[in-house]
């Protein structure tokens, strides 16, 4: 299993806020990944799924919903795609 960690750059207006910390992410099954951060630090996080199309072999990315409260964000592979790896995107906002 491959890990994927992405984060958005901080902006000057978000100087007082930080990115979430204590983050974990994992593949749940062939269609879903989850991500969670234990501390938001004023920022947000969301799950990301890297998925492979079983018909064409194309790699596609799907994002979960933004969270900031310690709950799980879930990302789902769509159509004929299947999970290759899980990741997380964070932002200070």
């Amino acid at each position: 299993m491959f890990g994927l960690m992405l984060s958005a750059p901080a902006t000057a207006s978000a100087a007082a806020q930080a990115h979430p910390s204590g983050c974990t992410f994992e593949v749940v099954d062939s269609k879903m990944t989850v991500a969670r951060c234990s501390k938001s630090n004023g920022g947000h996080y969301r799950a990301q799924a890297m998925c492979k199309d079983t018909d064409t072999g194309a790699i596609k990315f799907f994002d979960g919903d933004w969270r900031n409260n310690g709950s799980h964000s879930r990302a789902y592979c769509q159509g004929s795609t299947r999970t290759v790896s899980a990741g997380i995107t964070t932002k200070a906002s």
Side-chain angles (χ1 to χ4, degrees):
M1 180 170 78
F2 297 97
L4 178 68
M5 179 74 110
L6 303 173
S7 64
T11 63
S13 63
Q17 297 177 334
H19 287 269
S21 60
C23 302
T24 60
F25 51 92
E26 65 182 297
V27 172
V28 174
D29 58 30
S30 66
K31 297 295 272 185
M32 185 175 76
T33 68
V34 296
R36 179 183 174 277
C37 296
S38 60
K39 295 183 181 182
S40 73
N41 300 318
H44 290 78
Y45 59 90
R46 69 180 174 188
Q48 186 175 63
M50 179 193 288
C51 307
K52 184 175 183 177
D53 190 305
T54 58
D55 296 330
T56 67
I59 298 294
K60 299 179 181 181
F61 292 89
F62 297 97
D63 296 317
D65 54 338
W66 288 106
R67 300 290 179 136
N68 68 347
N69 59 3
S71 64
H72 285 94
S73 173
R74 293 169 177 81
Y76 297 92
C77 293
Q78 305 295 311
S80 63
T81 64
R82 297 293 180 260
T83 306
V84 174
S85 68
I88 191 169
T89 305
T90 65
K91 66 179 180 177
S93 62

